[in-house]
PDB file of all heavy atoms in Angstrom:
ATOM      1  N   PRO A  58    -116.792  38.392   0.352  1.00 72.00           N
ATOM      2  CA  PRO A  58    -115.534  38.670  -0.388  1.00 72.00           C
ATOM      3  C   PRO A  58    -114.982  40.037  -0.024  1.00 72.00           C
ATOM      4  O   PRO A  58    -113.726  40.160   0.015  1.00 72.00           O
ATOM      5  CB  PRO A  58    -116.008  38.630  -1.856  1.00 72.00           C
ATOM      6  CG  PRO A  58    -117.203  37.698  -1.803  1.00 72.00           C
ATOM      7  CD  PRO A  58    -117.877  37.967  -0.546  1.00 72.00           C
ATOM      8  N   ALA A  80    -100.547  39.788  10.975  1.00 91.00           N
ATOM      9  CA  ALA A  80    -100.449  38.338  10.794  1.00 91.00           C
ATOM     10  C   ALA A  80    -101.817  37.715  11.025  1.00 91.00           C
ATOM     11  O   ALA A  80    -102.215  36.730  10.352  1.00 91.00           O
ATOM     12  CB  ALA A  80     -99.400  37.760  11.740  1.00 91.00           C
ATOM     13  N   ALA A 156     -84.726  34.669  -8.049  1.00 93.00           N
ATOM     14  CA  ALA A 156     -83.504  35.249  -8.580  1.00 93.00           C
ATOM     15  C   ALA A 156     -83.451  36.762  -8.298  1.00 93.00           C
ATOM     16  O   ALA A 156     -82.615  37.474  -8.899  1.00 93.00           O
ATOM     17  CB  ALA A 156     -83.445  34.999 -10.040  1.00 93.00           C
ATOM     18  N   LYS A 180    -100.315  21.005  -7.442  1.00 89.00           N
ATOM     19  CA  LYS A 180    -100.701  22.252  -8.112  1.00 89.00           C
ATOM     20  C   LYS A 180     -99.562  22.797  -9.025  1.00 89.00           C
ATOM     21  O   LYS A 180     -99.787  23.721  -9.806  1.00 89.00           O
ATOM     22  CB  LYS A 180    -101.078  23.339  -7.118  1.00 89.00           C
ATOM     23  CG  LYS A 180    -102.292  22.957  -6.255  1.00 89.00           C
ATOM     24  CD  LYS A 180    -103.564  22.745  -7.171  1.00 89.00           C
ATOM     25  CE  LYS A 180    -104.758  22.443  -6.237  1.00 89.00           C
ATOM     26  NZ  LYS A 180    -105.994  22.225  -7.009  1.00 89.00           N
ATOM     27  N   VAL A 225     -91.863  12.631  -7.204  1.00 90.00           N
ATOM     28  CA  VAL A 225     -92.030  13.509  -8.418  1.00 90.00           C
ATOM     29  C   VAL A 225     -90.928  13.061  -9.424  1.00 90.00           C
ATOM     30  O   VAL A 225     -89.744  12.955  -9.078  1.00 90.00           O
ATOM     31  CB  VAL A 225     -91.869  14.958  -8.042  1.00 90.00           C
ATOM     32  CG1 VAL A 225     -91.680  15.864  -9.274  1.00 90.00           C
ATOM     33  CG2 VAL A 225     -93.069  15.433  -7.208  1.00 90.00           C
ATOM     34  N   ASN A 231     -83.285  13.871 -11.877  1.00 95.00           N
ATOM     35  CA  ASN A 231     -82.116  14.614 -11.491  1.00 95.00           C
ATOM     36  C   ASN A 231     -81.457  14.036 -10.205  1.00 95.00           C
ATOM     37  O   ASN A 231     -80.753  14.748  -9.484  1.00 95.00           O
ATOM     38  CB  ASN A 231     -82.479  16.067 -11.226  1.00 95.00           C
ATOM     39  CG  ASN A 231     -82.846  16.805 -12.548  1.00 95.00           C
ATOM     40  OD1 ASN A 231     -81.980  17.303 -13.217  1.00 95.00           O
ATOM     41  ND2 ASN A 231     -84.157  16.885 -12.739  1.00 95.00           N
ATOM     42  N   LEU A 239     -76.591  16.897  -1.829  1.00 95.00           N
ATOM     43  CA  LEU A 239     -76.771  16.486  -0.418  1.00 95.00           C
ATOM     44  C   LEU A 239     -75.357  16.251   0.209  1.00 95.00           C
ATOM     45  O   LEU A 239     -75.140  16.688   1.364  1.00 95.00           O
ATOM     46  CB  LEU A 239     -77.604  15.260  -0.293  1.00 95.00           C
ATOM     47  CG  LEU A 239     -79.108  15.400  -0.683  1.00 95.00           C
ATOM     48  CD1 LEU A 239     -79.801  14.006  -0.652  1.00 95.00           C
ATOM     49  CD2 LEU A 239     -79.806  16.365   0.334  1.00 95.00           C
ATOM     50  N   GLY A 345     -99.416   9.594  46.109  1.00 86.00           N
ATOM     51  CA  GLY A 345    -100.454  10.482  46.680  1.00 86.00           C
ATOM     52  C   GLY A 345    -100.603  11.795  45.950  1.00 86.00           C
ATOM     53  O   GLY A 345    -101.523  12.583  46.254  1.00 86.00           O
ATOM     54  N   GLU A 454     -73.228   2.696  36.857  1.00 95.00           N
ATOM     55  CA  GLU A 454     -74.037   3.937  36.537  1.00 95.00           C
ATOM     56  C   GLU A 454     -75.449   3.514  36.149  1.00 95.00           C
ATOM     57  O   GLU A 454     -75.661   2.747  35.196  1.00 95.00           O
ATOM     58  CB  GLU A 454     -73.374   4.647  35.374  1.00 95.00           C
ATOM     59  CG  GLU A 454     -74.138   5.851  34.827  1.00 95.00           C
ATOM     60  CD  GLU A 454     -74.497   6.877  35.910  1.00 95.00           C
ATOM     61  OE1 GLU A 454     -73.600   7.191  36.724  1.00 95.00           O
ATOM     62  OE2 GLU A 454     -75.634   7.350  35.897  1.00 95.00           O
ATOM     63  N   GLY A 475     -81.614 -17.151  20.319  1.00 95.00           N
ATOM     64  CA  GLY A 475     -80.282 -17.084  20.895  1.00 95.00           C
ATOM     65  C   GLY A 475     -80.237 -16.711  22.363  1.00 95.00           C
ATOM     66  O   GLY A 475     -79.320 -17.078  23.084  1.00 95.00           O
ATOM     67  N   HIS A 479     -79.795 -18.133  27.862  1.00 95.00           N
ATOM     68  CA  HIS A 479     -79.377 -17.171  28.875  1.00 95.00           C
ATOM     69  C   HIS A 479     -80.531 -16.788  29.770  1.00 95.00           C
ATOM     70  O   HIS A 479     -80.270 -16.194  30.847  1.00 95.00           O
ATOM     71  CB  HIS A 479     -78.808 -15.858  28.209  1.00 95.00           C
ATOM     72  CG  HIS A 479     -77.677 -16.126  27.258  1.00 95.00           C
ATOM     73  ND1 HIS A 479     -76.389 -16.347  27.723  1.00 95.00           N
ATOM     74  CD2 HIS A 479     -77.587 -16.234  25.944  1.00 95.00           C
ATOM     75  CE1 HIS A 479     -75.588 -16.508  26.682  1.00 95.00           C
ATOM     76  NE2 HIS A 479     -76.311 -16.474  25.610  1.00 95.00           N
ATOM     77  N   ILE A 501     -88.452   0.166  33.744  1.00 96.00           N
ATOM     78  CA  ILE A 501     -88.046  -0.427  32.477  1.00 96.00           C
ATOM     79  C   ILE A 501     -87.882  -1.957  32.660  1.00 96.00           C
ATOM     80  O   ILE A 501     -88.093  -2.711  31.710  1.00 96.00           O
ATOM     81  CB  ILE A 501     -86.720   0.212  31.924  1.00 96.00           C
ATOM     82  CG1 ILE A 501     -86.566  -0.081  30.465  1.00 96.00           C
ATOM     83  CG2 ILE A 501     -85.508  -0.267  32.692  1.00 96.00           C
ATOM     84  CD1 ILE A 501     -87.675   0.477  29.593  1.00 96.00           C
ATOM     85  N   ARG A 571    -106.510  -9.813  45.210  1.00 97.00           N
ATOM     86  CA  ARG A 571    -106.295  -8.979  46.414  1.00 97.00           C
ATOM     87  C   ARG A 571    -105.273  -7.908  46.129  1.00 97.00           C
ATOM     88  O   ARG A 571    -105.442  -6.760  46.609  1.00 97.00           O
ATOM     89  CB  ARG A 571    -105.829  -9.892  47.596  1.00 97.00           C
ATOM     90  CG  ARG A 571    -106.941 -10.838  48.084  1.00 97.00           C
ATOM     91  CD  ARG A 571    -106.637 -11.352  49.464  1.00 97.00           C
ATOM     92  NE  ARG A 571    -107.739 -12.336  49.808  1.00 97.00           N
ATOM     93  CZ  ARG A 571    -108.902 -11.979  50.307  1.00 97.00           C
ATOM     94  NH1 ARG A 571    -109.236 -10.703  50.406  1.00 97.00           N
ATOM     95  NH2 ARG A 571    -109.782 -12.952  50.623  1.00 97.00           N
ATOM     96  N   ILE A 587    -105.197   1.972  33.560  1.00 94.00           N
ATOM     97  CA  ILE A 587    -104.405   0.800  33.270  1.00 94.00           C
ATOM     98  C   ILE A 587    -104.842  -0.322  34.166  1.00 94.00           C
ATOM     99  O   ILE A 587    -104.902  -1.488  33.787  1.00 94.00           O
ATOM    100  CB  ILE A 587    -102.946   1.132  33.435  1.00 94.00           C
ATOM    101  CG1 ILE A 587    -102.502   2.229  32.467  1.00 94.00           C
ATOM    102  CG2 ILE A 587    -102.003  -0.094  33.213  1.00 94.00           C
ATOM    103  CD1 ILE A 587    -101.176   2.874  32.819  1.00 94.00           C
ATOM    104  N   LEU A 634    -117.041   0.705  32.911  1.00 94.00           N
ATOM    105  CA  LEU A 634    -118.069  -0.104  32.188  1.00 94.00           C
ATOM    106  C   LEU A 634    -117.389  -1.121  31.272  1.00 94.00           C
ATOM    107  O   LEU A 634    -117.896  -2.295  31.211  1.00 94.00           O
ATOM    108  CB  LEU A 634    -118.956   0.820  31.378  1.00 94.00           C
ATOM    109  CG  LEU A 634    -119.861   1.793  32.136  1.00 94.00           C
ATOM    110  CD1 LEU A 634    -120.702   2.605  31.164  1.00 94.00           C
ATOM    111  CD2 LEU A 634    -120.805   1.055  33.056  1.00 94.00           C
ATOM    112  N   ALA A 644    -117.583 -14.160  34.450  1.00 95.00           N
ATOM    113  CA  ALA A 644    -118.186 -14.732  35.670  1.00 95.00           C
ATOM    114  C   ALA A 644    -119.460 -15.354  35.370  1.00 95.00           C
ATOM    115  O   ALA A 644    -119.993 -16.198  36.223  1.00 95.00           O
ATOM    116  CB  ALA A 644    -118.294 -13.615  36.702  1.00 95.00           C
ATOM    117  N   PHE A 648    -122.312 -13.378  38.345  1.00 95.00           N
ATOM    118  CA  PHE A 648    -122.425 -11.912  38.313  1.00 95.00           C
ATOM    119  C   PHE A 648    -123.829 -11.440  38.551  1.00 95.00           C
ATOM    120  O   PHE A 648    -124.121 -10.232  38.666  1.00 95.00           O
ATOM    121  CB  PHE A 648    -121.927 -11.378  36.961  1.00 95.00           C
ATOM    122  CG  PHE A 648    -121.686  -9.922  36.859  1.00 95.00           C
ATOM    123  CD1 PHE A 648    -120.545  -9.342  37.428  1.00 95.00           C
ATOM    124  CD2 PHE A 648    -122.611  -9.047  36.258  1.00 95.00           C
ATOM    125  CE1 PHE A 648    -120.342  -7.983  37.392  1.00 95.00           C
ATOM    126  CE2 PHE A 648    -122.400  -7.676  36.168  1.00 95.00           C
ATOM    127  CZ  PHE A 648    -121.232  -7.139  36.728  1.00 95.00           C
ATOM    128  N   ASN A 661    -130.484   3.473  31.299  1.00 95.00           N
ATOM    129  CA  ASN A 661    -130.650   4.941  31.573  1.00 95.00           C
ATOM    130  C   ASN A 661    -129.679   5.751  30.748  1.00 95.00           C
ATOM    131  O   ASN A 661    -130.014   6.790  30.198  1.00 95.00           O
ATOM    132  CB  ASN A 661    -130.460   5.191  33.046  1.00 95.00           C
ATOM    133  CG  ASN A 661    -131.541   4.610  33.887  1.00 95.00           C
ATOM    134  OD1 ASN A 661    -132.599   4.189  33.383  1.00 95.00           O
ATOM    135  ND2 ASN A 661    -131.303   4.457  35.203  1.00 95.00           N
ATOM    136  N   GLN A 700    -124.176 -12.121  27.080  1.00 93.00           N
ATOM    137  CA  GLN A 700    -123.282 -13.257  26.831  1.00 93.00           C
ATOM    138  C   GLN A 700    -123.019 -14.022  28.113  1.00 93.00           C
ATOM    139  O   GLN A 700    -123.031 -15.283  28.103  1.00 93.00           O
ATOM    140  CB  GLN A 700    -121.904 -12.703  26.306  1.00 93.00           C
ATOM    141  CG  GLN A 700    -121.878 -12.314  24.890  1.00 93.00           C
ATOM    142  CD  GLN A 700    -120.511 -11.835  24.482  1.00 93.00           C
ATOM    143  OE1 GLN A 700    -119.562 -12.649  24.386  1.00 93.00           O
ATOM    144  NE2 GLN A 700    -120.345 -10.549  24.263  1.00 93.00           N
ATOM    145  N   GLY A 701    -122.789 -13.335  29.183  1.00 92.00           N
ATOM    146  CA  GLY A 701    -122.360 -13.960  30.430  1.00 92.00           C
ATOM    147  C   GLY A 701    -123.512 -14.626  31.137  1.00 92.00           C
ATOM    148  O   GLY A 701    -123.363 -15.678  31.778  1.00 92.00           O
ATOM    149  N   LEU A 759    -135.014  -6.448  10.957  1.00 96.00           N
ATOM    150  CA  LEU A 759    -134.154  -7.021   9.917  1.00 96.00           C
ATOM    151  C   LEU A 759    -133.996  -6.095   8.713  1.00 96.00           C
ATOM    152  O   LEU A 759    -132.854  -5.990   8.172  1.00 96.00           O
ATOM    153  CB  LEU A 759    -134.682  -8.403   9.458  1.00 96.00           C
ATOM    154  CG  LEU A 759    -133.609  -9.407   9.037  1.00 96.00           C
ATOM    155  CD1 LEU A 759    -132.446  -9.503  10.040  1.00 96.00           C
ATOM    156  CD2 LEU A 759    -134.240 -10.767   8.837  1.00 96.00           C
ATOM    157  N   CYS A 874    -122.655 -27.638   2.830  1.00 97.00           N
ATOM    158  CA  CYS A 874    -122.937 -29.033   2.424  1.00 97.00           C
ATOM    159  C   CYS A 874    -124.357 -29.223   1.968  1.00 97.00           C
ATOM    160  O   CYS A 874    -124.654 -29.953   1.006  1.00 97.00           O
ATOM    161  CB  CYS A 874    -122.565 -29.992   3.520  1.00 97.00           C
ATOM    162  SG  CYS A 874    -120.809 -30.163   3.862  1.00 97.00           S
ATOM    163  N   LEU A 905    -120.848 -32.968  10.710  1.00 96.00           N
ATOM    164  CA  LEU A 905    -120.189 -32.401   9.524  1.00 96.00           C
ATOM    165  C   LEU A 905    -119.337 -33.404   8.863  1.00 96.00           C
ATOM    166  O   LEU A 905    -119.314 -33.492   7.624  1.00 96.00           O
ATOM    167  CB  LEU A 905    -119.318 -31.183   9.970  1.00 96.00           C
ATOM    168  CG  LEU A 905    -118.575 -30.466   8.808  1.00 96.00           C
ATOM    169  CD1 LEU A 905    -119.554 -29.933   7.750  1.00 96.00           C
ATOM    170  CD2 LEU A 905    -117.763 -29.286   9.368  1.00 96.00           C
TER     171      LEU A 905
END
Side-chain angles (χ1 to χ4, degrees):
K180 298 297 183 180
V225 167
N231 293 275
L239 289 174
E454 174 55 44
H479 303 280
I501 200 61
R571 293 198 183 281
I587 300 165
L634 293 179
F648 194 76
N661 294 344
Q700 283 181 72
L759 211 49
C874 288
L905 179 60

